């Protein structure tokens, strides 16, 4: 079945550091890929998405490129801020069968001033 | 425009009781998804409703059930509550049609505590 694997957290960085959160997936066909963010005490918000190979999703300084050859969708940001502290979830959605999102386990990011 | 709303925000129940959680999707959205976010376990897919019908369910026992009403709002019912049912239950909605969900909007969740 479909699955999403994320790097274990927590990830602790200093402000202005470079961020990478790894995400790989297993799915048949051509899934769409997403990054969601969950700030403390809140629900999930869509951060960015990519619907086909080599697409780059970007938002709020975050980027991720859909790499079909490595089945990866790593999240990056050049300079993190304290306000980026949250839990980040990688997810996929396939175009056949179950339409609901399949999520990774989440990676907690802590940014220190 | 109102987002996805869930009620109640918090719910405390005793083991063996039943819990009912409610979700109102964004106006115009016909698909509703339920997820369980247990501590340390990420998000597990529970149920998907579209146009009033259950379209798919995750690997949960039958005591997890629900329904979708004609106005597309939804209820999640959990019968015979067990301690391990304690979790944040998230509802999401998406636009109708299409073969994939391009964007799902999430509510703030209902925190269910079973004691």
């Amino acid at each position: 079945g479909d699955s999403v694997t994320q790097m274990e957290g927590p990830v602790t960085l200093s402000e202005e550091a470079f961020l990478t959160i790894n995400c790989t997936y297993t799915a048949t066909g051509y899934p769409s890929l997403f990054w969601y963010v969950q700030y403390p005490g809140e629900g999930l918000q869509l951060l960015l998405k990519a619907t086909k190979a080599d697409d780059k999703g970007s938002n709020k300084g975050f980027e991720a490129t859909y790499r079909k050859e490595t089945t990866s969708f790593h999240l990056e940001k050049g300079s993190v801020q304290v306000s980026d502290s949250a839990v980040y979830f990688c997810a996929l959605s396939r175009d056949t069968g179950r339409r609901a999102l399949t999520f990774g386990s989440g990676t907690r990011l802590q940014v220190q001033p | 425009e109102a987002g996805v709303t869930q009620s109640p925000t918090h719910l405390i129940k005793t083991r063996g009781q039943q819990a009912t959680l409610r979700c109102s999707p964004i106006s115009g959205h016909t698909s509703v998804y339920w997820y369980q976010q247990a501590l340390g376990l990420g998000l597990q897919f529970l149920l998907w409703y579209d146009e009033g019908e259950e379209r798919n369910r995750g690997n949960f026992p039958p005591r997890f059930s629900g329904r979708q009403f004609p106005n597309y709002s939804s209820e999640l019912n959990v019968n015979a509550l067990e301690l391990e049912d304690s979790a944040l239950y998230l509802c999401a909605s998406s636009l109708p049609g299409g073969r994939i969900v391009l964007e799902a909007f999430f509510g703030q969740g209902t925190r269910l505590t079973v004691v």
Side-chain angles (χ1 to χ4, degrees), chain B residues 77-95:
Chain B
N77 295 294
V78 188
N79 295 319
L81 284 165
E82 301 178 1
L83 295 178
E84 54 264 35
D85 296 333
S86 295
L88 180 67
Y89 289 83
L90 291 167
C91 171
S93 72
S94 70
L95 286 168

Side-chain angles (χ1 to χ4, degrees), chain A residues 4-9 11 18-25 35 71-76 88-90 104-107:
Chain A
V4 177
T5 303
Q6 290 182 236
M7 61 188 290
E8 293 279 334
V11 173
F18 185 86
L19 168 71
T20 299
I21 300 178
N22 291 336
C23 170
T24 57
Y25 69 90
W35 276 101
T71 62
S72 65
F73 193 55
H74 304 322
L75 182 68
E76 296 181 336
Y88 292 82
F89 292 91
C90 185
S105 56
T107 302

Side-chain angles (χ1 to χ4, degrees), chain A residues 99, chain B residues 30-31 33 48 50-51 94-102:
Chain A
R99 210 177 72 152
Chain B
T30 64
S31 277
Y33 311 83
W48 166 32
D50 186 56
E51 295 286 353
S94 70
L95 286 168
R99 294 192 299 159
I100 60 173
V101 54
L102 290 181

Side-chain angles (χ1 to χ4, degrees), chain A:
Chain A
D2 299 342
S3 67
V4 177
T5 303
Q6 290 182 236
M7 61 188 290
E8 293 279 334
V11 173
T12 303
L13 296 173
S14 298
E15 210 165 19
E16 299 184 1
F18 185 86
L19 168 71
T20 299
I21 300 178
N22 291 336
C23 170
T24 57
Y25 69 90
T26 301
T28 56
Y30 300 92
S32 293
L33 302 173
F34 307 83
W35 276 101
Y36 279 81
V37 57
Q38 186 177 32
Y39 296 103
E42 299 185 11
L44 273 71
Q45 302 173 26
L46 178 66
L47 182 59
L48 53 85
K49 66 186 177 190
T51 59
K52 61 182 186 295
D54 300 324
D55 265 2
K56 177 185 284 188
S58 61
N59 186 26
K60 299 180 181 179
F62 290 91
E63 292 183 340
T65 301
Y66 187 163
R67 301 288 189 199
K68 188 162 179 61
E69 64 275 14
T70 55
T71 62
S72 65
F73 193 55
H74 304 322
L75 182 68
E76 296 181 336
K77 187 175 185 183
S79 176
V80 294
Q81 305 300 313
V82 172
S83 57
D84 294 327
S85 298
V87 180
Y88 292 82
F89 292 91
C90 185
L92 70 82
S93 174
R94 274 202 292 124
D95 61 355
T96 58
R98 190 181 84 185
R99 210 177 72 152
L101 294 160
T102 298
F103 285 90
S105 56
T107 302
R108 181 175 299 279
L109 170 65
Q110 298 172 336
V111 181
Q112 298 174 337

